[in-house]
Amino acid sequence: MFSTICGIALTLHMGLNEEYQYNSVHPYCKAKTESNVIAAAYYNSVDRVSLFVGYEYDINYHTSIELGVASGYKYDVTPTVRVNYKNLFLMPALHKGKTGLAIGLQYNF
């Protein structure tokens, strides 16, 4: 059995290429199994559709960490990590040789 969630995420990109206009609106749909395996599709920060597969580790009722791989970036498969707290999230970002952070607010429909 699995559950599905669709929504929209808003992000702020810090420490990356300031001359690049990152997309900050990310519609998504995500499926999660009872064993916390997750798969998702979303519109990413570099204006492409990404597919994601991974695992969500629940730390407590409000906090989790997602580890997995995503498509739609410079490489065919990109490792990803995301820390979630309630409807807020934080994830490292890498683009054109710069490292930074994506801070986000997620709203589920």
Side-chain angles (χ1 to χ4, degrees), residues 35-52:
S35 59
N36 287 358
V37 173
I38 52 179
Y42 61 94
Y43 193 66
N44 70 28
S45 299
V46 292
D47 296 314
R48 296 185 189 137
V49 173
S50 285
L51 301 177
F52 170 85

Side-chain angles (χ1 to χ4, degrees), residues 56-69:
E56 185 170 4
Y57 296 91
D58 292 322
I59 295 171
N60 61 40
Y61 182 72
H62 296 295
T63 309
S64 67
I65 297 174
E66 296 176 13
L67 296 172
V69 293

Side-chain angles (χ1 to χ4, degrees), residues 25 27 68 73 78 82-83 95 109:
V25 179
Y73 296 96
T78 302
R82 179 172 127 156
V83 177
H95 188 234
F109 299 136

